[in-house]
Amino acid sequence: WEVGNRWYGEQTKAAEVVERPDIARVITVEFIANTPNNSRWDFAPQVAFMQVHPGKLYETTFYAKNTAEHDVVGQAIPSIAPSSSARYFQKTECFCFVPQNFAKGEARDMPVRFIVDPALPPEVKTITLSYTFFKNDAATARAAAAGPVPAVASAPVFAPR
C-alpha cells in the first residue's frame, strides 16, 4: 500500500496507489449525499453502499443536477466517519477535488475512485463517505461574468433510484 500527494493529513488531490487486496477482509463503505436546505441541486449516490476488500481500488458515482434557472458552480465537501478511519480511506479520483460547473438544467454522474488501506484497524467494519454539495457563490459570479458554461462530455447519466 503506497499513498502519495498528501498535505497535512488532508487529501487535496489524487492519491497514487498500488493495489494489494486483502481478500480475506470485507469492509462496508456507505455513501451519503447532502445539500443545504435552500439549494437548487438534486444530488445522490448511485449506490447506498459497497462491500470492498481493503487494498483494492473501487469506483462509484454520485448523480448531480442543477435545478436552478441559471448556470451554477458547485463544490462538494467530503466527510469520512468514523473520523479515525479517514487516514485509511484514499480517493484517487474525485469530483470534490475541483469546483464543478453546471449549466442550467445540466445533470451528470460524477466519479469517485477510492481504496481502503489494509492497515485499517480490524475493529472498523464500516466507513461512511458523505458529501455536502454547495453552490460556490464566488465561482458562480465569476462564471456568470464570463458567459455560459460549456456542456461537459461525460458518461451516460442515470437518475438515482
Side-chain angles (χ1 to χ4, degrees):
W1 168 262
E2 299 170 20
V3 177
N5 296 325
R6 299 278 313 268
W7 179 67
Y8 297 111
E10 297 292 324
Q11 189 172 350
T12 58
K13 55 181 148 178
E16 298 170 5
V17 298
V18 174
E19 289 186 87
R20 294 191 183 104
D22 178 354
I23 59 172
R25 188 168 177 204
V26 176
I27 304 297
T28 300
V29 179
E30 300 174 324
F31 304 103
I32 298 174
N34 300 294
T35 58
N37 290 339
N38 61 348
S39 71
R40 300 297 309 264
W41 297 104
D42 290 339
F43 182 54
Q46 291 293 357
V47 296
F49 67 93
M50 294 173 74
Q51 300 289 312
V52 306
H53 295 289
K56 183 173 178 181
L57 191 61
Y58 291 88
E59 181 173 323
T60 188
T61 58
F62 280 69
Y63 168 85
K65 181 178 182 182
N66 172 14
T67 61
E69 293 298 317
H70 53 84
D71 297 351
V72 176
V73 178
Q75 180 68 55
I77 307 299
S79 176
I80 296 174
S83 60
S84 61
S85 66
R87 65 181 285 208
Y88 303 99
F89 189 93
Q90 299 301 315
K91 296 178 290 291
T92 63
E93 179 181 346
C94 185
F95 59 92
C96 66
F97 292 157
V98 296
Q100 300 292 317
N101 296 326
F102 279 82
K104 171 185 164 183
E106 180 182 358
R108 68 174 175 262
D109 290 319
M110 301 182 296
V112 179
R113 294 185 68 188
F114 65 91
I115 190 168
V116 176
D117 186 337
L120 178 74
E123 64 273 11
V124 178
K125 308 289 186 207
T126 302
I127 297 174
T128 302
L129 174 60
S130 174
Y131 289 101
T132 301
F133 204 58
F134 293 94
K135 175 184 173 191
N136 182 323
D137 292 322
T140 297
R142 284 192 303 273
V149 173
V152 173
S154 63
V157 173
F158 301 98
R161 293 179 177 89

